[in-house]
Amino acid sequence: MAQELKDTLLLPKTDFPMRANLVQREPARVAHWEKTDLYNAIQRQRADAPAFVLHDGPPFTNGDVHIGTALNKTLKDIINRYKSMRGFRTPYVPGWDCHGLPIEQKVSAEIRQQNLTLTQAEMRAKCDEFSENWIAKQTAQFKRIGVLADWKNEYKTKEPAFEADIIRTFAAFVEKGLVYRSKKPVYWSIPFETALAEAEIEYKDHVSIAIWVKFLVPVDQAEKFGLPTDKPLYIVIWTTTPWTIPANLAIALHPDVEYVVADLGAERIIVAQALLGAVATAAKIEPQPTTVLTVPGAKLEHLQARHPFIDRASPVVLADYVTTDSGTGAVHTAPGHGADDYLTGLKYKLQIYCPVGDDGKYLDDGQVPADLVGLTTLETVEDLAAKRPAPANLGVLKKLAAAGALLAKAKYPHSYPHCWRSKTPIIFRAVDQWFVSLDKAGMRQTALAEIIKIASHQGWIPAWGEARIRGAVESRPDWCISRQRSWGVPIPAFYDANKKAYLDATVARAVADKIATRGTNFWYDATPAQILEGVTLPSDWPTPEALVCGRDTLDVWIDSGSSHAAVLKRGQGGTHWPADLYLEGSDQHRGWFQSSLWTSVIAFGAAPYKAVLTHGFIVDKDRQKISKSSTYQKPQTADAYIAQHGADVIRLWIASQDFRDDIPVDDEILKNVGEAYRLLRNTFRFQLSNLFDFDATKDALPIEQMDVLDRWALHQTAVLIDECTKAYDAYEFHRVYQLCNQFCAVTLSAVYHDILKDRLYTLKSAHPLRRSSQTAIHHIFRSLVKILTPFITFTADEAWSFATTGKEYSVDSIHLQDWPVAPAAWRNPELEAEMATLLKFRAQANEKLEPLRQAGTIGKSLDAALSFGGSTDDATFRVLEKHRTFLPELFIVSQVNLGTTVTTTVEISAQHARDLGLARCPRCWRSVPTLNQTAHGEVCPRCEEALNS
RNA sequence: GGUGGCUUGGCAGAGCGGCUUAAUGCGUCUGACUUAUAAUCAGUUGUCCGGUGCUAGAACACCGGGCCGAGGGUUCGAAUCCCUCAGCCACCGCCA
């Protein structure tokens, strides 16, 4: 009996599977999108629409896509898909950052293993291959997570056309007179005669020679600074690199440290008070020196001491980094041989003096004593094994001893940077570098003005981004743009036999034109004559035959920072300049956002973006950056996450988080998102399955003929659309996530869908009430699935395909649809207010039903009948009366009785329907006063009607 | 060290001086249904301290109070405004 009756019900039907199987099924949809060329289909759809250009910051091409990179690309994809549905043309040209040290390093490590020796051009070819290999892999990984992009028009910083634009951008710097040459200390490997990056440094234990050196304070200076003059007076410095003494140009004291003039008997020395004892011990001074007077370091600024064996002054300067942990509190300062010293040198306008050549030997510059010239500062591996100091160190020791300036010396074991390839200690050495002056031609003011301009239309999202980049731009010193590397874009400078540099904007552009067609290796392979053939040289240049090409490359930040010029200015892939949006991690305020701003301001006089959106970094549950966390042993690649959860769950997770802060991830969070995903999927499934006999073109009802409950649901949908659209426009995706989650769980699943089941399953197919509800479901589904398309793009595409064709795949993708707009007729605030009242009663009624259920009196709520007692003076009770015929449906019970009482509040009671003499219809489960006999047995009148039609 | 940012109940996340005895959802627990079924529905649910009830304990019920990183302050009133501190994240390099 039951089975036969059940067969007369219109139960849900769909092929849209309940189980997602995302991990297995998503790749097929990626292939489907490729096959149907979805990206271009979307672009064609919006061919005449205004463009929204999100300019892609290029990821570095040296490994698998990290989950953090996937986060970034997914956010971009969400925005593009949203903007496209909102009616914008959204050209998205993905980029790749190809040059740079990490790649060069990995490649050179491979080369070393194979014992190969390569030319610079061959080395570059290897790097190119390496980069290309990862581009292919990363592309597949980005596609897997659902990133839709113009992969055929992608940009690579290593492509000749792009490299040419980098050089052209650089030419603009030259043209504005911003580029100059100056010295800066770098890590230097003597055996390889090259600068090293930090990553090429290994710290190893090393025994250095520490020396205490006396610098004479001349009598006139002592008098000037109020120091005693009756005995010779010296400032004592301490250093572990004796070979830098010839380059000494100053002595640094801390302004707030107390220094003492100490009497050693025959002479007096100046050291930090706190270190006098240590100095005396080191110099084996007996008896303990006596203090003559104390003076703060600040009082000695500009005192002109004398270099111990070179005839020049060594002035006292002040520096905050001076400590009294070791040494003498007086720091030997050689601006050409140390980072701190360099900065101090700049501050005091000292020469950046480096009397050491590329080969590590002292130069004959007229200042270095003749007996030191030619001595090397290198300690070879053999020297290290024999514990033999570098010749330059020994030479300097001798000179100091001969000058009577060596107060003490000692062996000093410590950790010291070594060249990772030659295993020898590196030296700090100032070499000529190219710089960009950021203060000339009002560049810094222009950059800051652009920042404010962007802020004036809320372009920094979140707003504190403005302070962040302003701080970076304000404080940035002149930009050192040259690197002594191979895998990069060459600086188009030439040098004559005297190493005089020649750099010219017109020549640079001519070089760029040639590189654009022949590739950068042209610069490395061709002679200057070939490179400059047909180029009109400035009048002050020598002939090409007298020149050699420079071997420096440009800072890679110029590479990526030129992308707006190479891509947007050329309209690549339908883009335009400036971009509507840049979107990267918050670290890029000092990185790409800044470098792009500078290059654009210098080359084009304005910022390359209208708005900048930033996101935080992925951290584990305890707010530790995941790469630093020991609990995460598994690889943090995007693929690892997708293989476990599927792309849509990962995408939904990304959307669910407020990405402006750090983004926590752990198993529990992903599990929760997985539950939320199932809720969304089941909602789609329920809706699809109840539309199996509904054809919107024929069966849909106009809104004025629809039932109140359905009109309420449409009102709620209109509100959802409004709020989600607002949240999308503010890039607050987590709000969209929460809104949809609550809409599905509460508005639909717990209320609307639950009430609807009776109508949908038991009424006859074409019953107006049933068609009314199906019409609403139809609209709600189409709205909801569109709102969620940017997030769960695979699932939305699939659900849409089933909705429109009944099949898993269709050519008419949801991505070609317009964003939902709620018709004004959907809105019904009055009804919404009444329903809000009724739903409060519903919650109270459920509380009354629960004890009956717990006691076993009733099972499902349809077994029950409710009675309400209230006063017509009560507005809420009048709402009940107004909707009295709807109440059994609303509460999902068999009968609702309204009784008038004098109580001020509405009283609710519940009982089993049978106690009111009602009989249960076996078909629809509602209890009614009388059942009628039919061919299917006894059923209620409503079911009888359904069965007869 | 400097600069910028963050810190709300098991999770996400509202909250922008009084409508907060902290929304909503998820999760938890208990139950129902078998007509969304690896679904669906209903109820329930923060923590700590003190007290009362119960023969004691446990459990439970009720009452009072504290807890929105910690501690101060402003205010009639603070998760919300101010200060200090702590923790965490990022950036300050020839790493990108």
Side-chain angles (χ1 to χ4, degrees):
Chain A
M1 189 275 289
Q3 187 57 44
E4 192 205 336
L5 270 180
K6 188 175 170 183
D7 291 341
T8 68
L9 296 172
L10 297 171
L11 294 183
K13 234 184 289 182
T14 180
D15 290 329
F16 182 75
M18 167 171 281
R19 299 193 61 193
N21 259 327
L22 295 175
V23 176
Q24 282 75 40
R25 293 169 71 229
E26 282 168 345
R29 195 159 297 275
V30 171
H32 172 71
W33 289 339
E34 291 260 295
K35 199 179 75 196
T36 54
D37 196 11
L38 180 59
Y39 174 83
N40 282 306
I42 293 171
Q43 300 309 307
R44 280 195 302 277
Q45 178 95 352
R46 304 292 183 211
D48 301 321
F52 178 87
V53 175
L54 199 176
H55 183 46
D56 190 32
F60 199 57
T61 55
N62 71 335
D64 289 308
V65 173
H66 185 268
I67 184 66
T69 315
L71 167 94
N72 172 263
K73 272 294 206 271
T74 302
L75 290 173
K76 288 169 177 168
D77 190 63
I78 288 171
I79 290 171
N80 276 328
R81 293 191 193 239
Y82 168 68
K83 289 288 182 182
S84 161
M85 292 176 85
R86 278 303 297 276
F88 290 93
R89 187 169 59 79
T90 53
Y92 180 53
V93 175
W96 305 102
D97 192 9
C98 309
H99 293 134
L101 180 77
I103 289 176
E104 192 173 337
Q105 222 168 278
K106 281 192 187 173
V107 169
S108 59
E110 279 173 29
I111 290 170
R112 259 186 305 136
Q113 275 186 346
Q114 299 166 12
N115 276 323
L116 297 174
T117 313
L118 300 183
T119 66
Q120 209 161 359
E122 287 167 338
M123 173 80 183
R124 291 174 50 85
K126 286 271 183 198
C127 290
D128 184 57
E129 196 184 305
F130 181 94
S131 173
E132 199 62 37
N133 181 35
W134 281 114
I135 288 173
K137 286 186 183 167
Q138 290 196 6
T139 300
Q141 291 164 3
F142 284 138
K143 283 180 181 173
R144 176 64 187 83
I145 201 164
V147 173
L148 215 50
D150 194 356
W151 299 107
K152 293 190 184 77
N153 267 315
E154 64 192 354
Y155 74 86
K156 303 173 187 173
T157 59
K158 67 182 174 65
E159 279 176 345
F162 195 106
E163 291 178 319
D165 277 331
I166 294 169
I167 294 175
R168 291 186 188 109
T169 305
F170 175 67
F173 293 17
V174 178
E175 194 166 50
K176 294 218 159 52
L178 308 179
V179 180
Y180 65 93
R181 207 157 158 73
S182 178
K183 284 191 171 176
K184 186 185 175 189
V186 297
Y187 294 112
W188 190 265
S189 167
I190 299 170
F192 289 94
E193 298 199 7
T194 180
L196 296 176
E198 174 82 11
E200 293 171 310
I201 301 291
E202 287 175 358
Y203 281 82
K204 305 213 285 191
D205 288 337
H206 183 257
V207 180
S208 300
I209 303 169
I211 53 173
W212 286 257
V213 182
K214 298 186 292 186
F215 282 58
L216 179 69
V217 179
V219 170
D220 64 318
Q221 291 292 314
E223 284 173 346
K224 188 171 167 188
F225 285 86
L227 301 171
T229 56
D230 51 324
K231 290 181 187 175
L233 179 63
Y234 300 93
I235 298 176
V236 178
I237 64 90
W238 178 84
T239 180
T240 58
T241 51
W243 62 269
T244 59
I245 291 291
N248 173 284
L249 293 184
I251 297 165
L253 305 184
H254 194 288
D256 304 327
V257 165
E258 287 293 325
Y259 290 84
V260 294
V261 175
D263 196 307
L264 306 188
E267 60 192 24
R268 294 197 176 110
I269 60 169
I270 298 177
V271 294
Q273 186 170 35
L275 287 162
L276 177 60
V279 172
T281 307
K284 301 190 176 60
I285 294 164
E286 295 288 346
Q288 280 294 309
T290 54
T291 296
V292 179
L293 67 86
T294 68
V295 57
K299 285 274 166 62
L300 300 177
E301 190 180 17
H302 302 308
L303 183 154
Q304 304 285 314
R306 301 301 297 178
H307 191 281
F309 57 76
I310 296 171
D311 184 19
R312 67 169 177 248
S314 185
V316 169
V317 296
L318 301 179
D320 289 334
Y321 56 81
V322 174
T323 68
T324 52
D325 298 338
S326 60
T328 66
V331 174
H332 154 58
T333 298
H337 291 301
D340 284 340
D341 299 20
Y342 170 74
L343 293 173
T344 302
L346 289 182
K347 190 174 160 197
Y348 282 89
K349 299 202 169 20
L350 302 174
Q351 192 191 346
I352 308 305
Y353 175 55
C354 175
V356 176
D358 290 356
D359 56 3
K361 293 175 180 168
Y362 285 123
L363 300 168
D364 184 7
D365 64 348
Q367 291 197 63
V368 175
D371 46 353
L372 291 182
V373 170
L375 290 182
T376 182
T377 58
L378 174 67
E379 266 174 43
T380 63
V381 175
E382 293 76 34
D383 287 337
L384 290 169
K387 298 187 176 164
R388 194 163 54 219
N393 278 339
L394 291 175
V396 167
L397 282 174
K398 271 187 213 160
K399 292 291 290 183
L400 290 172
L406 190 60
L407 182 68
K409 64 172 179 172
K411 285 184 178 162
Y412 186 75
H414 61 152
S415 177
Y416 189 84
H418 288 63
C419 166
W420 73 331
R421 290 193 274 184
S422 67
K423 308 296 179 193
T424 58
I426 59 97
I427 62 170
F428 244 106
R429 174 173 177 267
V431 298
D432 281 319
Q433 300 286 2
W434 290 101
F435 288 84
V436 174
S437 167
L438 299 176
D439 285 308
K440 279 193 190 163
M443 286 305 151
R444 201 181 301 269
Q445 284 74 15
T446 309
L448 291 170
E450 285 296 297
I451 291 170
I452 290 165
K453 200 163 113 192
I454 291 165
S456 70
H457 57 260
Q458 281 79 49
W460 301 106
I461 312 163
W464 49 258
E466 184 201 355
R468 190 81 184 273
I469 192 164
R470 183 192 285 161
V473 167
E474 276 172 351
S475 66
R476 193 193 225 306
D478 281 1
W479 188 353
C480 179
I481 53 160
S482 51
R483 302 287 187 270
Q484 288 71 51
R485 319 265 17 138
S486 293
W487 183 228
V489 175
I491 294 177
F494 297 86
Y495 300 86
D496 66 16
N498 297 321
K499 301 204 170 173
K500 181 168 187 282
Y502 295 86
L503 182 62
D504 176 80
T506 309
V507 173
R509 290 202 180 93
V511 171
D513 289 344
K514 294 192 178 184
I515 281 178
T517 55
R518 297 179 222 193
T520 309
N521 275 359
F522 176 65
W523 176 265
Y524 291 94
D525 295 335
T527 63
Q530 290 168 322
I531 290 171
L532 294 172
E533 190 189 343
V535 180
T536 310
L537 299 185
S539 56
D540 58 336
W541 280 40
T543 60
E545 287 71 26
L547 294 172
V548 294
C549 297
R551 284 293 172 256
D552 290 348
T553 54
L554 281 166
D555 177 8
V556 290
W557 282 114
I558 305 242
D559 286 30
S560 57
S562 299
S563 64
H564 59 86
V567 177
L568 303 183
K569 274 284 178 183
R570 297 192 180 281
Q572 187 169 327
T575 54
H576 61 217
W577 188 101
D580 294 285
L581 186 67
Y582 273 37
L583 196 183
E584 307 295 333
S586 58
D587 55 336
Q588 298 302 334
H589 285 115
R590 282 180 182 272
W592 192 54
F593 300 148
Q594 187 187 197
S595 63
S596 297
L597 178 65
W598 285 116
T599 58
S600 190
V601 161
I602 294 170
F604 309 121
Y609 36 71
K610 291 180 194 159
V612 171
L613 178 61
T614 55
H615 57 79
F617 293 82
I618 295 178
V619 296
D620 72 15
K621 206 185 151 196
D622 305 318
R623 300 262 163 194
Q624 302 271 337
K625 196 184 172 191
I626 48 176
S627 59
K628 289 178 185 168
S629 170
S630 57
T631 55
Y632 285 85
Q633 299 296 335
K634 64 186 176 189
Q636 293 299 320
T637 61
D639 273 358
Y641 281 88
I642 292 168
Q644 203 182 341
H645 301 97
D648 264 1
V649 169
I650 298 301
R651 292 178 66 104
L652 191 61
W653 163 65
I654 289 168
S656 75
Q657 305 289 130
D658 184 351
F659 61 77
R660 293 165 298 194
D661 296 341
D662 287 337
I663 300 126
V665 60
D666 72 347
D667 289 343
E668 188 188 359
I669 292 171
L670 286 171
K671 189 178 140 247
N672 282 342
V673 174
E675 304 265 4
Y677 171 83
R678 280 198 288 282
L679 170 71
L680 298 176
R681 188 176 182 91
N682 275 320
T683 302
F684 292 151
R685 184 161 188 272
F686 181 82
Q687 296 183 326
L688 287 174
S689 65
N690 281 296
L691 294 175
F692 70 92
D693 63 343
F694 179 81
D695 179 348
T697 56
K698 290 188 299 217
D699 303 323
L701 262 48
I703 187 135
E704 56 276 9
Q705 291 175 27
M706 289 172 70
D707 173 65
V708 279
L709 179 67
D710 299 320
R711 297 185 68 164
W712 169 78
L714 287 180
H715 173 86
Q716 294 296 329
T717 306
V719 171
L720 177 78
I721 292 171
D722 289 350
E723 294 189 353
C724 287
T725 305
K726 215 191 303 172
Y728 262 114
D729 283 334
Y731 303 116
E732 291 176 337
F733 306 142
H734 65 281
R735 281 186 183 269
V736 177
Y737 168 86
Q738 301 258 344
L739 285 164
C740 288
N741 196 245
Q742 286 163 32
F743 183 76
C744 289
V746 181
T747 307
L748 295 184
S749 197
V751 179
Y752 185 60
H753 286 173
D754 203 28
I755 295 171
L756 246 42
K757 287 172 195 167
D758 177 61
R759 297 182 184 177
L760 294 168
Y761 299 166
T762 67
L763 297 179
K764 64 180 179 182
S765 175
H767 191 288
L769 199 52
R770 189 163 178 280
R771 288 307 191 206
S772 167
S773 293
Q774 284 182 314
T775 304
I777 290 177
H778 170 82
H779 290 313
I780 294 167
F781 169 80
R782 292 174 78 101
S783 302
L784 185 63
V785 75
K786 284 176 186 173
I787 289 171
L788 287 167
T789 293
F791 297 172
I792 47 172
T793 179
F794 292 91
T795 304
D797 199 56
E798 179 192 0
W800 184 261
S801 186
F802 275 108
T804 53
T805 68
K807 298 196 179 68
E808 188 173 356
Y809 295 99
S810 67
V811 177
D812 174 35
S813 170
I814 187 164
H815 295 97
L816 302 172
Q817 295 294 314
D818 290 340
W819 193 249
V821 177
W826 287 13
R827 293 170 207 279
N828 197 335
E830 194 185 335
L831 176 59
E832 151 63 20
E834 288 171 4
M835 264 300 280
T837 301
L838 294 177
L839 287 173
K840 272 182 200 155
F841 284 124
R842 191 174 190 260
Q844 290 168 23
N846 279 330
E847 283 174 37
K848 296 286 180 189
L849 292 174
E850 188 61 19
L852 294 181
R853 189 181 287 119
Q854 298 280 349
T857 310
I858 60 167
K860 61 180 80 65
S861 56
L862 277 176
D863 296 340
L866 289 168
S867 299
F868 289 75
S871 162
T872 49
D873 293 338
D874 178 2
T876 63
F877 188 75
R878 290 202 300 274
V879 174
L880 283 172
E881 290 193 310
K882 178 176 176 184
H883 293 282
R884 66 187 311 150
T885 58
F886 166 57
L887 297 182
E889 260 196 306
L890 173 69
F891 299 120
I892 317 183
V893 294
S894 282
Q895 198 176 75
V896 176
N897 300 306
L898 296 185
T900 310
T901 67
V902 290
T903 55
T904 48
T905 55
V906 178
E907 301 282 343
I908 307 175
S909 61
Q911 59 191 313
H912 199 287
R914 97 169 76 78
D915 297 341
L916 293 173
L918 303 178
R920 179 177 182 269
C921 169
R923 185 169 176 273
C924 67
W925 297 347
R926 290 153 62 245
S927 294
V928 294
T930 52
L931 297 180
N932 297 341
Q933 188 62 41
T934 71
H936 298 273
E938 286 197 326
V939 296
C940 70
R942 199 185 71 181
C943 284
E944 182 184 19
E945 190 196 332
L947 289 168
N948 288 340
S949 53

